Amino acid sequence: IEADPLWIVDPICGSTNYLQHDPHYAVCVGYREAGFWQVGVVYEADRGDLYTGVRGGRATLNDQVLHVEQYGEGNEAMERAVIGVDWPPSMDLRRDMAIVVNVLTNQALGLRSSGSPALAICAVAAGRLHGYVTMGVKLWDVAPASVVLQAAGGIITNSLGASWMHSED
């Protein structure tokens, strides 16, 4: 989506969870100006958790400041990491994701599937997860939560480690 400035709203991130009466879904709002996502808000209604992030500012969860902490590097970090994963909608991407999950299963301490990309990214910002991997997400799945994560000191990339904003994947 090329518009700038741009407001983006995802009324239900985690729609499958919502339809299955699983409370792990969120309402997400993001604002982009001058080519950068400036504000991100992710609200997990059933928990009453409100994640906010401002570019160049801070990230919060219910008014408590969030900071991502690095506790190791390389293999040490992976062996201690709990990683969020979600399954993409298309079968081709699911086959690719199965390869990623297989690799992570052999390296990470644990894997968790959330069903809501925005909430999984916010879980990284809050320190509940050490990373998150998925494929085939849409802008509205990622943009608001990316502001929260980056304001908390985290990074978000595409599959090659480059900026996700200028990537097709």
Side-chain angles (χ1 to χ4, degrees), residues 12-18 22 24-26 85-87 112-120 132 141:
I12 303 178
C13 181
S15 54
T16 300
N17 290 350
Y18 178 81
D22 179 334
H24 200 70
Y25 62 90
V85 297
D86 277 318
W87 294 95
R112 305 283 186 271
S113 182
S114 72
S116 169
L119 287 176
Y132 174 69
D141 292 323

Side-chain angles (χ1 to χ4, degrees), residues 1-7 30-38 139:
I1 303 174
E2 298 299 322
D4 192 2
L6 174 69
W7 284 95
Y31 176 70
R32 181 177 67 197
E33 184 178 279
F36 294 97
W37 289 97
Q38 305 288 340
L139 183 62

Side-chain angles (χ1 to χ4, degrees), residues 6 20 31 53 56 68 78 88 92 99 108 113 131 135 141 143 150 165:
L6 174 69
Q20 296 297 319
Y31 176 70
V68 172
M78 283 302 294
D92 287 341
I99 295 167
S113 182
M135 297 176 183
D141 292 323
Q150 291 172 322
M165 290 194 308

Side-chain angles (χ1 to χ4, degrees), residues 110-134:
L111 301 179
R112 305 283 186 271
S113 182
S114 72
S116 169
L119 287 176
I121 293 167
C122 286
V124 176
R128 294 186 200 129
L129 293 174
H130 302 106
Y132 174 69
V133 179
T134 193

Side-chain angles (χ1 to χ4, degrees), residues 42 50-54 58-66 148 151-152:
V42 178
L50 179 65
Y51 297 89
T52 63
V54 176
R58 63 183 191 158
T60 62
L61 167 55
N62 298 331
D63 293 323
Q64 298 296 313
V65 177
L66 299 175
V148 175

Side-chain angles (χ1 to χ4, degrees), residues 1 8-13 28-30 37 42 117-118 137-145 164:
I1 303 174
I8 195 162
V9 177
D10 185 355
I12 303 178
C13 181
C28 307
V29 178
W37 289 97
V42 178
V137 292
K138 303 295 184 195
L139 183 62
W140 49 86
D141 292 323
V142 178
W164 69 275

